[in-house]
Amino acid sequence: MNKTLLLRTSVCIALGTVSASSLAAGFQVNEHSANGLGRAFAGQAATPENASILATNPAAISQFDEAEFSFALNYIMPNVDIKGDVVTTVGDAQIPLEANEDDIAESAVIPSAFYTRPINDKVSVGLGVFANYGLATDYSDSFNALHFADRAEVITMTINPAVSYSLTDTLDIGLGLSATYAEAEIGTATPQAIGAISQGAVPGNATILRLEGDDWGYGWNVGVFWQASEQTDIALSYRAETKLDLEGDVESDLIPALNQGGALGLNLAAIAEFAVNHRIDEKWSVQVSANHTEWSTFDKLEAELESGMDLLIKQEDFENTWRLSVGATYVYSDELTLRAGYAYDEGAVSFAHRSLSIPDTDRHWVTVGATYQLNEDSTIDAGYAYLKGRDANVSQQRALQTEALGTVVSDLTATEHASAHILSVQYNTRF
């Protein structure tokens, strides 16, 4: 057996199946408001309960008569399991292996902080620090499909100053500028079993491809807040796309020529929201939102190497998505406010482009929350959400024709089972 040719064959197959692990950012992070979480973020852009409204609608910060400060901690506990099989075919031989892994997504704590203050009767300003995107997935060394997905992590932080101007007593507009810092790591490795299959020609758990990089990206966001009546507030908001070129290092144990600097292009999708907050009476109010995310801007994952080579990692062809939510708020007493909500959140990845690193699918949200009045100026919010994803089937195949070995094929068939718990607490004060 030509061991050198087998090595090259294995590397080519693996490179062809590297998933867009950095598209962990494709899982949008909404957790920047505990009170918003309690009603599944329904009506978020139209419900200025505290300074965290800045993240969604800069126009609504005009609704505060005093300086406001909010600080939140959000704990996300995902549970993502993969059940499947991978079959490697070399000539007439087929080698089937299980491809099962539990808890591939890591828990995370996401902080956020906001400050707003009125300048005069017309102008208000604010500053927010929060995250809109981020995820981490990690497969164990014993996973038999590491050449499809291994480590993926994206961490982002957005700094967002904003200003609001009151055009009339009932109509406000807002503008924000954002600076987003992002770090990302993506990678694949050879499965442990490949050593035995290749009779040592390809080592197990060797890095096929790993990219690390970071960058700052800049964008803007706008909003409108309209008090349509004494009972109803309506809002529109839009956060523009942020483009990033994550510069860093490319590493490979199997292809020395790839060990060089490079940059990975990554677009954080634009987000639009239409929101309504309607007060039924002094106790009850209802909220609704329709959010649209322009994921179609992400069509491929491609790295540009220092040598000038463009390395197409995967054609993604993401699809635009909608998130529809409805919530209710009940003022139980002067000290206690209760919330509940439901949301349906579309996945951005079609079956044809679904991968182990992004087995994205539609999700249902069920949420509850509460606010307790600590004193005249301070409140504490708490929110809880349970997310249940629709089971997602993953089917990937890569084939390579060689003179010595014939057609070498790697087939993966798997199903993702996903759910998550989110806990959020937030402190708010005015001064």
Side-chain angles (χ1 to χ4, degrees):
M1 179 179 292
N2 188 323
K3 293 185 178 182
T4 301
L5 182 56
L6 179 58
L7 172 60
R8 292 175 179 171
T9 299
S10 301
V11 170
C12 289
I13 291 174
L15 283 176
T17 56
V18 173
S19 301
S21 302
S22 61
L23 249 291
F27 294 106
Q28 188 176 327
V29 176
N30 293 300
E31 291 71 39
H32 42 65
S33 168
N35 56 289
L37 179 66
R39 49 182 153 73
F41 300 105
Q44 185 68 6
T47 312
E49 295 175 307
N50 53 60
S52 65
I53 186 69
L54 183 150
T56 307
N57 186 1
I61 66 176
S62 62
Q63 298 304 299
F64 306 123
D65 296 328
E66 300 176 272
E68 299 264 343
F69 174 76
S70 296
F71 176 76
L73 286 175
N74 307 277
Y75 182 47
I76 303 176
M77 298 174 288
N79 180 21
V80 183
D81 302 331
I82 301 293
K83 306 296 181 185
D85 299 283
V86 60
V87 178
T88 300
T89 303
V90 181
D92 295 329
Q94 288 189 333
I95 302 99
L97 295 169
E98 287 186 348
N100 300 332
E101 187 84 346
D102 293 333
D103 297 328
I104 67 167
E106 298 180 356
S107 298
V109 175
I110 301 175
S112 60
F114 304 90
Y115 172 76
T116 67
R117 61 166 295 176
I119 301 299
N120 53 44
D121 291 342
K122 291 287 188 179
V123 179
S124 295
V125 296
L127 178 68
V129 181
F130 55 93
N132 269 330
Y133 299 90
L135 190 71
T137 59
D138 194 11
Y139 290 85
S140 67
D141 289 346
S142 61
F143 185 53
N144 287 320
L146 287 175
H147 51 308
F148 287 86
D150 186 8
R151 173 72 180 171
E153 183 177 33
V154 169
I155 299 173
T156 69
M157 177 191 68
T158 295
I159 302 172
N160 195 160
V163 60
S164 175
Y165 182 77
S166 296
L167 294 174
T168 69
D169 291 340
T170 61
L171 183 63
D172 307 299
I173 58 173
L175 170 67
L177 300 177
S178 60
T180 298
Y181 176 74
E183 293 181 355
E185 176 186 348
I186 67 173
T188 55
T190 58
Q192 288 180 346
I194 195 67
I197 294 173
S198 67
Q199 299 179 1
V202 181
N205 292 138
T207 298
I208 299 170
L209 182 68
R210 186 168 74 92
L211 297 88
E212 273 190 303
D214 62 354
D215 190 27
W216 282 91
Y218 304 93
W220 52 272
N221 59 304
V222 294
V224 176
F225 183 84
W226 178 38
Q227 295 171 279
S229 70
E230 291 184 1
Q231 290 78 35
T232 305
D233 299 328
I234 299 173
L236 285 170
S237 67
Y238 179 79
R239 181 171 295 276
E241 173 188 6
T242 300
K243 296 183 178 181
L244 297 162
D245 288 313
L246 303 171
E247 296 185 358
D249 297 317
V250 182
E251 297 178 8
S252 175
D253 293 334
L254 303 183
I255 311 175
L258 292 180
N259 292 310
Q260 57 181 289
L264 181 70
L266 178 65
N267 296 339
L268 304 182
I271 307 167
E273 180 179 357
F274 171 75
V276 178
N277 177 31
H278 177 70
R279 292 169 289 278
I280 299 172
D281 54 34
E282 293 182 356
K283 293 286 188 180
W284 285 96
S285 63
V286 293
Q287 297 80 33
V288 295
S289 279
N291 298 72
H292 185 258
T293 304
E294 295 183 41
W295 280 123
S296 60
T297 187
F298 195 86
D299 56 351
K300 61 183 178 180
L301 188 72
E302 188 172 55
E304 181 179 345
L305 305 184
E306 282 185 351
S307 62
M309 173 185 175
D310 290 332
L311 181 62
L312 178 62
I313 299 174
K314 191 174 185 293
Q315 195 71 32
E316 291 298 339
D317 294 325
F318 267 33
E319 300 173 351
N320 294 338
T321 62
W322 285 96
R323 184 182 189 276
L324 306 176
S325 55
V326 59
T329 302
Y330 176 65
V331 180
Y332 179 81
S333 67
D334 291 341
E335 292 80 22
L336 183 63
T337 299
L338 305 176
R339 301 179 185 86
Y342 167 79
Y344 179 74
D345 196 3
E346 286 186 325
V349 183
S350 66
F351 173 74
H353 297 94
R354 192 172 291 145
S355 65
L356 286 186
S357 290
I358 323 173
D360 192 20
T361 186
D362 301 345
R363 291 169 292 277
H364 299 272
W365 295 56
V366 179
T367 71
V368 293
T371 295
Y372 183 75
Q373 190 82 31
L374 296 173
N375 54 51
E376 183 179 354
D377 296 319
S378 302
T379 61
I380 187 166
D381 302 320
Y384 166 77
Y386 175 71
L387 282 66
K388 177 62 177 176
R390 182 180 298 170
D391 286 354
N393 294 322
V394 181
S395 180
Q396 295 178 262
Q397 182 189 82
R398 293 295 183 271
L400 184 68
Q401 188 70 36
T402 68
E403 293 182 3
L405 300 176
T407 301
V408 179
V409 179
S410 182
D411 287 280
L412 171 72
T413 303
T415 301
E416 174 222 18
H417 309 275
S419 63
H421 300 274
I422 302 173
L423 296 171
S424 181
V425 293
Q426 181 172 314
Y427 173 74
N428 313 289
T429 190
R430 66 175 64 96
F431 46 90

